[in-house]
Structure formats: structure tokens, C-alpha cells
Amino acid sequence: MPDNRTQRQRSYNMSRIHSNDTLPEMVVRRYLYAHGLRYRLHLKHLSGKPDIVLTKSKKVIFVNGCFWHRHKKCIYAKIPSSNMHFWQNKFKNNVKRDKRNIKVLENDGWLVKVVWECQLSKEKQDKTLKGLLEWLLEN
């Protein structure tokens, strides 16, 4: 199916997509804050600039969008039908970068958790957030 937007419209739409303060990220942050956890955001000196960083316990959380970070077997991880070669390369590079960043953090002694956008749907949100909180509070 061809794109129903002009190149200029598509470029404008894509420029509006931001990587920080996304809705899924805000859901996680509000939950953690409401449960008394304090954290740092997007520390630039850490590989991949994790979304949430708990420095005392050396734990980091990435809140990933299923589309951009290619959550396996997820309905949101579809490849656009136009310009497929570009998108396949883009997604392949995103996944490589994510794996590399996680490996660097783990080698530096950080514990890493990835929360996927689809895990924060209304049906799964409570279970996901409770599990995340338990992980953060364990020694």
C-alpha cells in the first residue's frame, strides 16, 4: 500500500516523534514516583541514555516502543509497506544498537530492565508495573 501523505507531510509527521517523555515512559515514571522511588532521567554518560536510572541500586530501565525497537511477535512491530528496504535497515540497526547498549551497561555492573509499550496496555499494565517495582526493590 502506498503512502497517502506527501514526502513533506511524512517528514513533518516523523519530526514530531520524540524519544523522551513518551506516554509509556510517563506511566512508568508516575507509578515509580507514587511508590516512593526517586530516579534520574536519561543520563547521557550511560550507554543508550536509559529512560530511568536508579543510581544507588545500579538499575536502569528502558521503556521501549514496540515499533521502533522491534518487540518480537508484537502486533505493533509491523514494517511499513512503503520504502521497506529503508525500514528494514533502520530497525535492524536499532536492534543492534539496543543490544550493544545493554551489553555495555551490564559489563559496567548495571542491572537492565526493558519495559515494552505493549506491556503497558490496560490489560497488562498492573502486572507489568508491580513486577517492575518488585525487581527494583529486591536487593
Side-chain angles (χ1 to χ4, degrees):
M1 171 185 260
D3 195 356
N4 61 357
R5 306 239 189 276
T6 66
Q7 187 174 1
R8 188 177 194 159
Q9 289 171 323
R10 178 61 57 208
S11 179
Y12 176 77
N13 289 348
M14 297 305 282
S15 74
R16 300 284 133 231
I17 299 172
H18 298 282
S19 61
N20 294 344
D21 303 330
T22 62
L23 182 60
E25 185 182 328
M26 296 304 291
V27 167
V28 173
R29 285 166 42 182
R30 286 182 186 124
Y31 182 85
L32 297 179
Y33 192 88
H35 285 83
L37 292 172
R38 301 301 177 254
Y39 45 80
R40 307 276 311 274
L41 301 174
H42 314 290
L43 294 184
K44 292 177 184 172
H45 71 278
L46 292 178
S47 185
K49 294 193 308 184
D51 298 311
I52 299 169
V53 180
L54 289 94
T55 53
K56 288 181 184 177
S57 59
K58 280 198 92 165
K59 294 183 180 183
V60 298
I61 303 167
F62 288 99
V63 182
N64 286 350
C66 298
F67 176 77
W68 293 106
H69 298 273
R70 310 316 295 165
H71 189 199
K72 290 181 182 177
K73 299 180 183 176
C74 179
I75 61 169
Y76 301 119
K78 293 181 181 175
I79 297 176
S81 58
S82 62
N83 205 2
M84 287 181 77
H85 182 69
F86 165 81
W87 286 110
Q88 288 170 336
N89 286 334
K90 170 75 174 156
F91 295 144
K92 183 175 75 172
N93 291 335
N94 285 356
V95 170
K96 278 185 186 177
R97 183 195 63 224
D98 291 344
K99 287 180 181 178
R100 185 177 61 245
N101 288 334
I102 289 172
K103 188 173 186 174
V104 168
L105 287 167
E106 289 175 341
N107 288 340
D108 290 343
W110 290 90
L111 297 173
V112 180
K113 188 72 142 183
V114 176
V115 176
W116 293 96
E117 173 186 16
C118 66
Q119 293 173 323
L120 296 171
S121 66
K122 291 186 183 201
E123 302 83 30
K124 300 176 184 177
Q125 184 173 321
D126 286 341
K127 182 179 178 183
T128 300
L129 293 173
K130 286 177 185 175
L132 182 62
L133 185 62
E134 287 175 14
W135 178 75
L136 290 170
L137 295 177
E138 67 188 25
N139 293 329

